[in-house]
Amino acid sequence: MCGIVGYVGDKDAYPILINGLRRLEYRGYDSAGVALVHGGSLHVHKCKGKVSDLEAHMEGQERSGSTGIGHTRWATHGPPNDVNAHPHQSSSGDLALIHNGIIENYAAIKEELTHRGHTFLSDTDTEVLVHLIDDVKRTEEVDLPEAVRLALDSVVGAYAIAVVDRNSPDMIVAARKSSPLVIGIGADGEHFLASDATPIVEHTKNVVYLEDGEIAVMEKGSTLKIRNIKNQEKTPFIQELEMHLEALEKGGYDHFMLKEIHEQPRSIRDSMRGRLNLAKGEVVLGGIKDYEQRFVNARRILIVGCGTSWHAGLVGEYLLEDLARISVEVEYASEFRYRDPIIDENDIVIAISQSGETADTLAAIELAKGKGATIIGICNVVGSSIARVTHAGSYTHAGPEIGVASTKAFTAQVTVLTLMSLMIGHKKGTISGSHFYRLLNELESIPDKVEKVLKNEAQIKYIADIYRSASNALYLGRGSSFPVALEGALKLKEISYVHAEGYPAAEMKHGPIALIDEEMPVFVIATKGASYEKVVSNIQEVKARKGKIIAIVTEGDKAVKELADHVIEIPETVDQFVPLLSVVPLQLISYHIAVMLNRNVDQPRNLAKSVTVE
Ligand code: F6R
């Protein structure tokens, strides 16, 4: 949440900042702004709205400067307006600062600084930081890096910040605690800064991920210097980015979400690559190899995550219990962290997160780690905070997910959970040799089957058109199709703003059935498998109340076809792998309804990707 960019070097900073902000806009789009240092002057431009609004606002404004910082905001403290937009400036006009995170003790700092004569213009928590740093710089008579260090020592909360000073025109000082920051090392002493690597990759592949409590000094023509809050010098660890620029473009699709839905055959394959070995009949997850025995011995696994990642965790519960016979509890990270959960060193906690930055998931990890549990991460973003705080883990390899609604990340997470369950089940002997081999074969065919589901898009779009005006929708499923029902409902809610609920199909008669009338579309996952007959009965209950049934069925199904208003066929697969196929039509339905309703599909209102606030 909130995107940060920065540049210091010989080039014009403004175009670099604007391009970077466009890449980071998925992190928040309430307002945007830049600060440019040119000679001894500092120019701050900011406005409510998207990066395109900032660009329009910049027409005719002073854009010179080869040092600059930029910000795209997801509002926490104070409404989205021009004044609350970042960068914020100190009263002296010397400093400008951008921030991602939340300053918890901002009220106390503000009160103290107000007594000392500082005037605040905005409602934000961020503004206190720029006044505080300026105050420390003057009273302690120190340079900017030292003022940042001393000021941050009295700050409680989460932050990734970048500060420029008109008196040090070739310098940016940045710092992080619990919010991400990446520094790009360019040619000839130029430096780039961003919340993630997406704005940096087109300039350089050499990056340094700042650690918590570190302060970086980026100065034109100089090497990067890093100190920690205790003033100890740190050696920057330079890594090479594996990201490719094409992954950050729409590639001919109208929206990132549609591109990402269509990428799923590839992203599922990439999540299995080098891990599923049919020839040898084995699953190897290199990242957790050292923990295999711990999994085999585990009596319980806890899974934590938020939103779509939590739904993937629920699918994981079915997979791990079924294939590896380990008891699993799935928790919302946001709830887990505020209980006093009973965990000890025998527990394994799997933390699932696309971004690897979700604040609640990070906090849940810290809590479980503190109690001695082994923490295994399933993350998509390489080098992200969660990937770094876990003991071990497996990346999902879905590639950058830019649409705010998570799609390919979900199927990649489920793929990794499937591999984990197969690996543990095989080691433990809970899956017999021949069954294991059949499952591996079937899993390998899943990307082709997803491809086949995607070929039904025209029919799915036709169905979307019929239900585009519905103001409510129900999603039903049983077993591992229940989390898929939840995920289908979440997709519709978040990008179409249509109220939708996911339910275990049999629970419907305990309340939600009262909602059903001829206006209500009911999406049912009714594929062949263990609970097929039961789901058919649930469909009959809906039909008896005149609800409209849109069923996801196995190719060749006859019984549901006779009852349902519409069926969408998916290829046959084993029960365990159905979620990887059945979620795809639901993603496409939501996408097309949202487009038909003229919604901003990639940047739905009030949302942002990478929720770095609790
Ligand atoms: C839904 C969605 C969110 C995220 C949630 C967790 O489409 O994108 O519900 O799944 O915010 O994010 P990560 O996976 O980055 O921890």
Side-chain angles (χ1 to χ4, degrees):
M1 288 185 155
C2 297
I4 282 182
V5 289
Y7 173 76
V8 56
D10 284 322
K11 302 188 182 111
D12 258 355
Y14 177 70
I16 297 173
L17 298 179
I18 284 290
N19 272 337
L21 289 179
R22 278 201 218 102
R23 295 248 188 258
L24 290 180
E25 203 165 20
Y26 71 87
R27 299 178 67 90
Y29 27 86
D30 290 334
S31 62
V34 290
L36 294 158
V37 190
H38 184 51
S41 329
L42 173 65
H43 297 279
V44 173
H45 308 282
K46 54 187 188 171
C47 64
K48 182 181 168 184
K50 295 183 180 287
V51 177
S52 53
D53 295 307
L54 175 66
E55 284 183 86
H57 173 84
M58 287 299 286
E59 291 296 325
Q61 304 276 3
E62 178 56 61
R63 304 174 188 191
S64 312
S66 51
T67 302
I69 53 177
H71 188 270
T72 177
R73 177 172 187 242
W74 186 84
T76 56
H77 295 63
N81 58 30
D82 293 355
V83 177
N84 289 334
H86 299 211
H88 291 282
Q89 255 183 297
S90 58
S91 308
S92 65
D94 284 352
L95 308 187
L97 176 144
I98 49 177
H99 168 223
N100 167 29
I102 286 192
I103 305 305
E104 287 169 21
N105 61 340
Y106 82 98
I109 299 175
K110 191 168 181 176
E111 199 183 325
E112 160 89 28
L113 288 171
T114 307
H115 284 136
R116 294 167 61 78
H118 290 262
T119 312
F120 289 84
L121 305 176
S122 77
D123 311 311
T124 65
D125 53 335
T126 300
E127 198 186 354
V128 301
L129 291 176
V130 72
H131 289 280
L132 181 63
I133 294 167
D134 198 36
D135 196 84
V136 170
K137 190 167 174 263
R138 283 161 199 284
T139 48
E140 302 292 325
E141 296 180 4
V142 289
D143 62 5
L144 181 66
E146 183 61 359
V148 170
R149 191 184 72 79
L150 293 173
L152 289 179
D153 212 24
S154 56
V155 166
V156 179
Y159 51 79
I161 60 163
V163 199
V164 289
D165 181 348
R166 66 178 170 192
N167 302 309
S168 308
D170 295 328
M171 181 190 284
I172 300 175
V173 179
R176 76 156 272 178
K177 185 174 164 234
S178 306
S179 293
L181 262 191
V182 190
I183 293 166
I185 315 285
D188 309 322
E190 63 176 355
H191 301 279
F192 302 85
L193 174 77
S195 299
D196 68 32
T198 57
I200 294 178
V201 65
E202 63 198 84
H203 304 291
T204 173
K205 291 241 168 186
N206 297 325
V207 296
V208 174
Y209 291 93
L210 219 57
E211 299 284 344
D212 267 359
E214 288 185 343
I215 298 151
V217 181
M218 287 161 279
E219 205 167 0
K220 182 169 91 178
S222 297
T223 53
L224 174 67
K225 294 189 185 59
I226 300 182
R227 306 192 83 81
N228 67 12
I229 204 103
K230 295 192 180 113
N231 209 15
Q232 293 155 327
E233 201 171 322
K234 297 274 173 171
T235 310
F237 173 53
I238 301 176
Q239 304 184 42
E240 193 171 332
L241 278 178
E242 280 180 21
M243 193 177 278
H244 299 288
L245 205 50
E246 317 80 75
L248 308 175
E249 310 287 351
K250 285 191 197 142
Y253 287 93
D254 287 343
H255 298 96
F256 280 109
M257 182 180 177
L258 187 61
K259 176 187 174 224
E260 287 157 9
I261 292 172
H262 279 269
E263 276 176 345
Q264 289 177 108
R266 192 222 18 96
S267 53
I268 295 175
R269 213 171 267 126
D270 284 351
S271 304
M272 298 196 287
R273 196 184 308 284
R275 295 170 167 176
L276 188 165
N277 189 331
L278 262 190
K280 286 194 181 159
E282 63 177 18
V283 172
V284 179
L285 286 164
I288 56 168
K289 191 135 190 45
D290 294 345
Y291 290 81
E292 258 177 27
Q293 202 49 42
R294 213 173 260 249
F295 272 109
V296 168
N297 298 338
R299 302 208 36 221
R300 175 174 85 140
I301 292 178
L302 289 146
I303 300 182
V304 293
C306 302
T308 290
S309 295
W310 181 73
H311 295 158
L314 290 175
V315 178
E317 177 180 13
Y318 286 91
L319 291 165
L320 284 160
E321 292 197 348
D322 185 21
L323 299 171
R325 304 305 297 147
I326 304 175
S327 160
V328 177
E329 289 167 32
V330 188
E331 303 256 8
Y332 282 118
S334 53
E335 290 296 314
F336 179 83
R337 62 181 291 196
Y338 286 116
R339 288 200 280 108
D340 183 13
I342 302 162
I343 313 170
D344 60 33
E345 52 285 351
N346 298 314
D347 285 315
I348 295 179
V349 174
I350 300 178
I352 307 179
S353 174
Q354 186 286 127
S355 61
E357 303 293 347
T358 301
D360 284 321
T361 310
L362 261 169
I365 292 172
E366 298 295 356
L367 176 75
K369 216 172 166 185
K371 289 175 180 276
T374 300
I375 319 291
I376 304 293
I378 297 182
C379 294
N380 193 38
V381 177
V382 176
S384 55
S385 302
I386 292 178
R388 285 183 293 149
V389 298
T390 46
H391 291 115
S394 295
Y395 282 115
T396 45
H397 300 307
E401 191 180 66
I402 293 166
V404 164
S406 198
T407 52
K408 64 174 178 173
F410 174 80
T411 44
Q413 289 162 348
V414 172
T415 304
V416 170
L417 286 160
T418 307
L419 291 168
M420 254 182 203
S421 310
L422 287 167
M423 181 197 80
I424 305 164
H426 188 47
K427 275 253 167 287
K428 250 182 111 170
T430 49
I431 318 173
S432 73
S434 55
H435 185 40
F436 179 70
Y437 196 71
R438 270 201 308 280
L439 288 173
L440 291 195
N441 252 305
E442 182 55 27
L443 188 58
E444 211 194 41
S445 72
I446 290 293
D448 290 342
K449 292 185 177 180
V450 173
E451 197 96 62
K452 218 167 159 198
V453 178
L454 290 167
K455 295 219 165 85
N456 292 337
E457 185 166 1
Q459 183 216 3
I460 294 169
K461 192 170 171 186
Y462 168 81
I463 296 171
D465 195 24
I466 297 174
Y467 296 101
R468 64 197 285 181
S469 314
S471 37
N472 294 288
L474 263 183
Y475 287 72
L476 304 177
R478 297 184 84 131
S480 61
S481 294
F482 160 53
V484 176
L486 290 176
E487 178 60 8
L490 177 62
K491 290 291 88 102
L492 189 68
K493 272 183 272 208
E494 66 183 331
I495 58 164
S496 302
Y497 320 147
V498 173
H499 172 244
E501 303 240 20
Y503 260 90
E507 275 294 302
M508 187 188 54
K509 56 187 167 297
H510 299 288
I513 199 162
L515 295 168
I516 292 174
D517 60 17
E518 59 278 6
E519 304 291 323
M520 175 71 91
V522 184
F523 295 88
V524 190
I525 300 140
T527 49
K528 286 273 165 57
S531 42
Y532 177 71
E533 268 78 29
K534 305 272 179 223
V535 177
V536 173
S537 307
N538 299 139
I539 290 176
Q540 263 155 344
E541 290 157 12
V542 174
K543 275 322 295 174
R545 275 109 192 143
K546 300 195 168 58
K548 299 281 183 286
I549 296 281
I550 305 100
I552 315 292
V553 299
T554 311
E555 260 168 14
D557 178 280
K558 294 209 170 57
V560 176
K561 220 173 239 171
E562 279 176 17
L563 291 170
D565 296 271
H566 312 273
V567 294
I568 301 166
E569 291 193 341
I570 60 172
E572 184 161 8
T573 186
V574 294
D575 257 13
Q576 291 94 340
F577 305 160
V578 167
L580 289 169
L581 304 182
S582 57
V583 75
V584 177
L586 300 182
Q587 295 168 341
L588 282 170
I589 287 265
S590 303
Y591 169 79
H592 285 293
I593 290 183
V595 171
M596 287 165 192
L597 294 177
N598 225 357
R599 306 295 193 225
N600 190 336
V601 172
D602 283 334
Q603 294 173 351
R605 70 181 180 203
N606 304 337
L607 285 170
K609 218 167 173 69
S610 196
V611 185
T612 52
V613 297
E614 61 170 287

